């Protein structure tokens, strides 16, 4: 679909919101990193424009296409059903090469758009919209005045440029106010990570390899032209947002991060709140993990007395899965028996007192003291999980709630 094109999805009721989608790539020239044996042996990388993004946002019936390096505006009809789909359904983006082969597939959570908009932001948008309308009317009047009053061409040009600059500045200010609601997604693979994935060709690793050897980075940006929810709908749903920000000081013993990448699934965090299970998208193994993963719960639809009982009686527990083994076993049980090591191996494993497949209790709200940064060296958690020494001694989780 051409740059600047527009697609409308019709839904009953609600209001319309413009969503601007942008896509960009970073491609590596193999000739710059490989020494050619002879001229022309390494072909140049494909052009960015030869790739396209085929994406489906929540509520869409048909996918849309966007040429990489460009942008498009999608006009979305928003109602209560659409807001609920934002929370429950991620957007799916497929990168397609010039031969129409899928290069990569990425899922992006849109839940942050269901968080609502602060009152001060709405008031500021109303002020800017009124000022923009007045500036545009003054621009039209100034153009007519310049003609009727007989201004010189230079004076007329200067007057119009000043008024046009005022309108442009107001529009830029409006974009900046809505900037926190933007969703920016980046997929990137380093040379180090690529080497690890290629060393261990299990199914999980192969799925992460890019379909194009020259592809190094993919950037996708989603921008709103207006607040996603109306004030009336926001008051009815009363959204409560929980954002997992980051986990720090993840252990690299007894296995370092390279060994974890080879032997374990990509780590993720999960928790349950108000009967709903939430799971972050997986990330690669590293010391500090940044999610910034937002989940939204519509507490306005809950029974308020039951809601308060749950919030007071049930602590929020966040589990980090950073040791889930891949479907990859270097030595089978049968081979252990042949070597005479079977009983010794499992006795040694049981003596350690920990299950390597068990998730780590990363955070519990009853020990948080309402701080937005919790050091899991706290005595209460250590006492409950004292056997899991390798993961509960130094973790720190940052989180935030918004309502």
């Amino acid at each position: 679909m051409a740059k600047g094109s527009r697609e409308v999805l019709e839904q009953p009721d609600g209001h319309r919101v413009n969503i601007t989608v942008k896509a960009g790539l970073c491609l590596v020239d193999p000739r710059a990193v490989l020494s050619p044996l002879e001229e022309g042996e390494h072909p140049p990388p494909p052009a960015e424009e030869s790739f396209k993004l085929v994406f489906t946002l929540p509520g869409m019936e048909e996918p849309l296409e966007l040429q990489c390096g460009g942008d498009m505006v999608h006009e979305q009809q928003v109602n209560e059903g659409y807001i609920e789909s934002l929370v429950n359904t991620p957007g799916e983006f497929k990168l397609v090469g010039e031969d129409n082969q899928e290069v990569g597939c990425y899922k992006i959570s849109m839940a942050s758009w269901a968080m609502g908009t602060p009152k001060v932001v709405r008031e500021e948008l109303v002020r800017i919209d009124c000022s923009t309308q007045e500036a545009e009317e003054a621009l039209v009047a100034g153009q007519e005045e310049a003609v009727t009053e007989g201004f010189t061409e230079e004076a007329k040009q200067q007057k119009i440029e000043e008024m046009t600059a005022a309108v442009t500045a107001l529009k830029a200010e409006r974009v900046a106010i809505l900037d926190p609601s933007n969703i920016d997604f980046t997929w990137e693979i380093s040379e180090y990570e690529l080497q690890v994935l290629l060393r261990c060709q299990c199914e999980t690793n192969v799925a992460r390899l890019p379909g194009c050897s020259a592809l190094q980075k993919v950037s996708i940006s989603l921008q709103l032209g207006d607040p996603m929810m109306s004030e009336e709908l926001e008051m009815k749903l009363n959204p409560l947002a929980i954002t997992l920000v980051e986990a720090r000081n993840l252990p690299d013993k007894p296995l370092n991060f390279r060994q974890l990448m080879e032997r374990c699934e990509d780590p993720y965090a999960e928790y349950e709140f108000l009967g709903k299970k939430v799971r972050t998208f997986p990330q690669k193994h590293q010391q500090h993990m940044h999610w910034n993963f937002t989940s939204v719960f519509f507490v306005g639809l809950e029974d308020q007395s039951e809601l308060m009982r749950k919030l007071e009686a049930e602590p929020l527990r966040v589990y980090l899965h950073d040791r889930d083994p891949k479907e990859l076993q270097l030595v089978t049980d049968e081979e252990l028996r042949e070597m005479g090591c079977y009983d010794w191996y499992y006795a040694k494993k049981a003596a350690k007192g920990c299950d390597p497949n068990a998730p780590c209790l990363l955070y519990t709200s009853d020990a948080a003291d309402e701080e937005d940064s919790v050091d899991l060296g706290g005595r209460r958690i250590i006492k409950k999980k004292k056997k899991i020494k390798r993961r509960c001694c130094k973790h720190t989780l940052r989180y935030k709630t918004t309502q």
Side-chain angles (χ1 to χ4, degrees):
M1 187 169 291
K3 180 177 179 179
S5 57
R6 184 182 296 267
E7 178 73 17
V8 180
L9 179 64
E10 293 294 337
Q11 289 186 359
D13 305 322
H15 62 284
R16 295 176 184 269
V17 174
N18 288 338
I19 302 174
T20 302
V21 183
K22 300 179 180 179
L25 301 178
C26 180
L27 299 166
V28 178
D29 191 342
R31 298 171 298 180
V33 295
L34 298 174
S35 299
L37 299 179
E38 57 186 62
E39 185 177 356
E41 180 165 344
H42 302 302
E48 181 182 20
E49 294 76 16
S50 64
F51 292 86
K52 63 181 178 181
L53 197 66
V54 181
F55 63 95
T56 305
L57 300 180
M60 281 187 180
E61 296 180 357
E62 298 292 336
L64 300 179
E65 293 184 2
L66 170 65
Q67 185 179 9
C68 288
D71 60 77
M72 66 173 293
V73 177
H74 166 68
E75 191 174 53
Q76 176 67 53
Q77 195 79 13
V78 179
N79 54 23
E80 184 175 341
Y82 179 74
I83 295 298
E84 291 180 355
S85 70
L86 288 177
V87 174
N88 301 317
T89 309
E92 186 172 292
F93 298 78
K94 293 182 179 180
L95 186 64
V96 179
E98 54 188 347
D99 53 358
N100 287 326
Q101 294 295 317
E102 182 178 314
V103 175
C105 183
Y106 320 100
K107 291 186 177 181
I108 305 175
S109 173
M110 308 289 178
S112 60
W113 282 350
M115 290 173 57
T117 304
K119 182 179 180 180
V120 63
V121 174
R122 292 186 183 274
E123 292 175 349
E124 193 67 12
L125 288 174
V126 170
R127 180 192 67 79
I128 292 176
D129 289 341
C130 292
S131 299
T132 302
Q133 184 177 356
E134 293 174 358
E136 289 176 340
E137 292 174 354
L139 176 60
V140 174
Q143 291 173 335
E144 295 175 352
E145 180 184 358
V147 174
T148 56
E149 295 295 330
F151 284 16
T152 64
E153 190 65 30
E154 183 178 352
K156 181 172 68 173
Q157 186 69 21
Q158 183 179 358
K159 185 179 182 64
I160 292 176
E161 286 179 356
E162 291 175 354
M163 291 184 172
T164 303
V167 173
T168 303
L170 286 169
K171 291 182 177 180
E173 185 180 356
R174 192 181 196 281
V175 172
I177 289 177
L178 286 172
D179 186 68
S181 64
N182 294 347
I183 296 177
D184 296 311
F185 170 85
T186 300
W187 173 91
E188 188 172 8
I189 189 167
S190 64
E191 183 180 353
Y192 168 80
E193 185 180 3
L194 184 60
Q195 290 176 358
V196 173
L197 297 180
L198 291 174
R199 278 185 61 191
C200 189
Q201 289 283 339
C202 68
E203 183 178 346
T204 308
N205 284 357
V206 172
R208 287 176 55 189
L209 292 171
C212 172
S213 58
L215 182 64
Q216 187 179 42
K217 184 177 179 180
V218 178
S219 300
I220 301 172
S221 176
L222 303 165
Q223 301 174 352
L224 293 180
D226 293 285
M228 180 59 76
M229 278 197 288
S230 63
E231 290 186 77
E232 295 78 11
L233 185 56
E234 188 174 336
M235 291 180 63
K236 176 183 178 181
L237 298 178
N238 192 15
L240 169 67
I242 299 178
T243 301
L244 294 184
V245 181
E246 63 181 2
R248 303 183 64 83
N249 301 323
L250 299 183
D252 59 352
K253 298 177 181 179
L255 300 179
N256 59 39
F257 294 123
R258 180 170 189 143
Q259 292 170 323
L260 289 173
M261 290 172 65
E262 293 176 345
R263 304 181 189 185
C264 298
E265 299 286 356
D266 292 340
Y268 64 92
E270 66 175 2
Y271 65 90
E272 185 173 348
F273 184 69
L274 298 181
K276 177 183 175 182
K277 291 185 177 181
V278 178
R279 175 173 172 171
T280 67
F281 295 132
Q283 293 194 8
K284 63 183 179 182
H285 288 273
Q286 51 195 322
Q287 186 177 15
H288 306 307
M289 201 164 298
H290 304 275
W291 291 297
N292 208 28
F293 186 90
T294 299
S295 300
V296 179
F297 305 86
F298 300 125
V299 296
L301 304 179
E302 300 281 340
D303 179 84
Q304 298 303 298
S305 59
E306 180 67 14
L307 173 64
M308 293 303 298
R309 186 196 68 79
K310 289 182 178 179
L311 292 177
E312 293 174 356
E314 301 176 8
L316 176 66
R317 292 185 173 91
V318 180
Y319 294 90
L320 173 64
H321 291 255
D322 63 341
R323 293 297 192 278
D324 292 353
K326 292 180 177 178
E327 294 298 327
L328 177 69
Q329 192 169 358
L330 301 180
V331 181
T332 65
D333 289 347
E334 188 174 312
E335 290 171 328
L336 286 173
R337 290 190 180 95
E338 290 176 358
M339 293 185 291
C341 301
Y342 180 85
D343 294 335
W344 172 86
Y345 173 77
Y346 281 100
K348 197 78 172 177
K349 183 177 177 181
K352 292 182 179 179
C354 64
D355 180 3
N357 299 332
C360 165
L361 177 59
L362 180 62
Y363 164 75
T364 178
S365 62
D366 59 359
D369 297 330
E370 299 183 356
E371 296 286 344
D372 72 345
S373 183
V374 182
D375 189 342
L376 294 200
R379 293 179 181 177
R380 299 179 65 180
I381 300 179
I382 290 296
K383 186 175 181 181
K384 293 179 181 179
K385 295 289 178 179
K386 58 184 179 182
K387 291 184 178 181
I388 311 181
K389 296 180 181 178
R390 59 189 174 86
R391 279 176 283 172
C392 285
C393 54
K394 293 184 179 179
H395 285 349
T396 301
L397 171 73
R398 291 185 59 235
Y399 77 103
K400 61 183 178 180
T401 57
T402 305
Q403 185 176 17

